[in-house]
Amino acid sequence: VQLQASGGGSVQTGESLRLSCVASGRISYVSDMGWYRQAPGKQRELVAKITAGGKMRYRDSVEGRFTISRNNAENTIYLQMSALRPEDTAIYFCNAQVSTAVLEPVNAYWGQGTQVTVSS
């Protein structure tokens, strides 16, 4: 299973970016998918996640500014980021809980990360 993330870049405060992540390979079922981020010198943290049924969860600091969405048919998630702030600067990683065969439990897979830089 491979996760390919894209869409990062460098923007000014208040601007927007949209991240995408597609899961491919031997996939039987994809459960939760989400976005995490890691800033220099800090631990990786959850940004947003979405279940296969569409239930979403956000960290408090991005609530109302970021929107996570999902296309189950294409095993793809998106993160629409608006009103970006310098503190949003980090490498953003996508994560997917994937079962590779019927009745097999899910395992966690990670994308390679995409850099988001917000300057003031």
Side-chain angles (χ1 to χ4, degrees):
V1 177
Q2 299 82 40
L3 271 64
Q4 181 68 46
S6 61
S10 297
V11 297
Q12 300 287 323
T13 297
E15 294 185 340
S16 300
L17 280 174
R18 188 188 192 219
L19 306 182
S20 301
C21 177
V22 57
S24 63
R26 185 184 177 192
I27 296 173
S28 175
Y29 174 73
V30 182
S31 179
D32 294 0
M33 300 183 78
W35 291 96
Y36 291 72
R37 67 187 181 188
Q38 187 167 18
K42 295 187 177 181
Q43 291 188 333
R44 190 172 297 190
E45 62 186 21
L46 174 67
V47 177
K49 64 189 303 183
I50 184 168
T51 68
K55 184 175 181 180
M56 296 166 281
R57 174 187 168 192
Y58 298 92
R59 72 178 302 103
D60 288 346
S61 63
V62 307
E63 185 85 51
R65 300 187 297 122
F66 291 10
T67 302
I68 190 170
S69 59
R70 175 171 178 163
N71 182 325
N72 287 335
E74 297 182 355
N75 294 323
T76 301
I77 56 169
Y78 305 94
L79 186 67
Q80 178 65 46
M81 304 184 293
S82 302
L84 282 161
R85 306 167 180 169
E87 53 265 38
D88 295 318
T89 295
I91 299 175
Y92 283 69
F93 298 88
C94 59
N95 170 275
Q97 307 291 317
V98 179
S99 171
T100 58
V102 175
L103 301 181
E104 288 293 318
V106 297
N107 288 299
Y109 294 87
W110 293 89
Q112 83 284 8
T114 184
Q115 177 71 46
V116 172
T117 302
V118 186
S119 55
S120 57

